[in-house]
Amino acid sequence: MISEYIKNTFAGFGLLILVFLLPAPARCSPTDSLGKEPVINRPFRSLQFGMALTSSVFRDFATSPLFYRGSPAQYSLAWAKEEGKRERRLLVRYQSGSFSPEDKEIKTPSSATHLALQYSRLWYLGNWHKTDLRVGAMLDVSGNLRINPALQNNAVGLEIFQTLFVSARLSRDLSRQTEKKGKFLGLIPYRRIPRRRTLSFQLNAALMNNSFRNGYIYSNQANITNKPDIFYNYRFNAFSGYRLNTALEYSIFLSNGNAIRYSWIWEALQTGEEFNRFEMGFNAIQVAFLFQVPKREKK
């Protein structure tokens, strides 16, 4: 079963790479993508598939004061619409894996699944020497499902977070404007064609962070009645705790109009409760494939 899953995963990844590299000369060429207008203001619509390796950690004082750490894989699917001086993006992110407690004497790991839905909008403010500044907002609705049999009656943990971020992003145009030729070490010839490239850093700081979680100690009598309630004793806490998110992204645009993006993503979250505080954070190294979506012509 596992071997078949691995084979199917690699087959799907190979097909994705093949489609990504298919030429589309009618849409774009390396030289057509460059010009006098700032590259970072060019319209670009895309469908984005991202895969990342993470270093994740969480702690829930309602069940255990221990940190649980893991390195689960993370996947994302996004639709982005960059219209020169305005940008919109809708993203779904999924992460699932096993987390081990920091105390080596405790052998039972916790499985955790994270699902997030994000919608963001950014507006152009200005450009200084190929550096672009945009500000806006992002709405994030995410949830965790955690299962740890060693906690017995408190084995299942479920929480939902709603966060409104204020966002700012700096982008730098690193495009190669002219073709370069030469020899590496004086022996190996190389040729570098004009290429559109950008480097950006985005900061998302929580303006309002809300949580929907259980009270102190998860176990309750609803689990032994004929009417179990998964949200028994759950509470909605507005403006609870803080949340911070950053993303450093390097994008390279190909001659067929598509692009590949390398990212380092960092996020930290903490709820504001005193006795049952929840903390979570992760670092992720991501590779994303951006498929250009041509603009529909109005009839």
Side-chain angles (χ1 to χ4, degrees), residues 3 14 37 41 48 68 84 90 107 159 168 172 183-184 186 188-190 217 285 292:
S3 61
E37 183 182 350
N41 282 341
Q48 306 174 5
Y68 284 79
L90 179 65
K107 303 300 182 181
E159 52 264 339
R172 178 73 175 176
K183 290 186 177 182
F184 180 70
I188 306 174
Y190 67 85
I217 302 301
I285 302 297
Q292 184 186 28

Side-chain angles (χ1 to χ4, degrees), residues 179-190:
E179 181 177 320
K180 294 183 178 180
K181 295 182 180 180
K183 290 186 177 182
F184 180 70
L185 297 178
L187 298 174
I188 306 174
Y190 67 85

Side-chain angles (χ1 to χ4, degrees), residues 16 20 47-52 76 78 89 249-252 258-263 265 285-291:
L16 179 67
F20 180 75
L47 188 64
Q48 306 174 5
F49 298 89
M51 297 168 287
S76 63
R89 188 177 70 164
E249 301 176 333
Y250 176 60
S251 303
I252 303 174
N258 298 328
I260 186 169
R261 176 172 293 163
Y262 303 96
S263 307
I265 304 170
I285 302 297
Q286 177 180 267
V287 177
F289 301 96
L290 284 61
F291 293 86

Side-chain angles (χ1 to χ4, degrees), residues 44-108:
F44 182 67
R45 300 184 180 195
S46 62
L47 188 64
Q48 306 174 5
F49 298 89
M51 297 168 287
L53 294 177
T54 71
S55 175
S56 304
V57 60
F58 72 83
R59 176 167 62 172
D60 184 3
F61 283 95
T63 57
S64 171
L66 296 178
F67 283 106
Y68 284 79
R69 303 180 184 275
S71 301
Q74 187 180 102
Y75 305 93
S76 63
L77 173 63
W79 174 84
K81 187 177 181 181
E82 302 174 20
E83 300 174 304
K85 297 188 176 182
R86 184 178 63 175
E87 179 180 334
R88 291 176 285 176
R89 188 177 70 164
L90 179 65
L91 178 142
V92 178
R93 184 175 64 219
Y94 173 81
Q95 173 182 302
S96 183
S98 178
F99 289 72
S100 301
E102 61 179 1
D103 189 341
K104 302 301 181 181
E105 296 182 0
I106 301 177
K107 303 300 182 181
T108 306

Side-chain angles (χ1 to χ4, degrees), residues 135-156:
V135 296
M138 181 173 73
L139 178 64
D140 180 290
V141 179
S142 57
N144 295 325
L145 174 62
R146 297 174 287 110
I147 301 176
N148 186 352
L151 299 178
Q152 300 179 8
N153 289 338
N154 296 329
V156 179

Side-chain angles (χ1 to χ4, degrees), residues 159-208:
E159 52 264 339
I160 302 174
F161 307 102
Q162 312 89 36
T163 309
L164 177 62
F165 293 95
V166 58
S167 305
R169 188 177 71 191
L170 283 172
S171 299
R172 178 73 175 176
D173 179 14
L174 301 178
S175 300
R176 186 187 304 117
Q177 300 288 341
T178 58
E179 181 177 320
K180 294 183 178 180
K181 295 182 180 180
K183 290 186 177 182
F184 180 70
L185 297 178
L187 298 174
I188 306 174
Y190 67 85
R191 174 175 173 264
R192 297 178 179 178
I193 63 176
R195 181 77 68 192
R196 176 182 174 184
R197 301 176 298 183
T198 60
L199 178 67
S200 67
F201 176 78
Q202 182 166 330
L203 172 66
N204 305 305
L207 186 64
M208 178 179 66

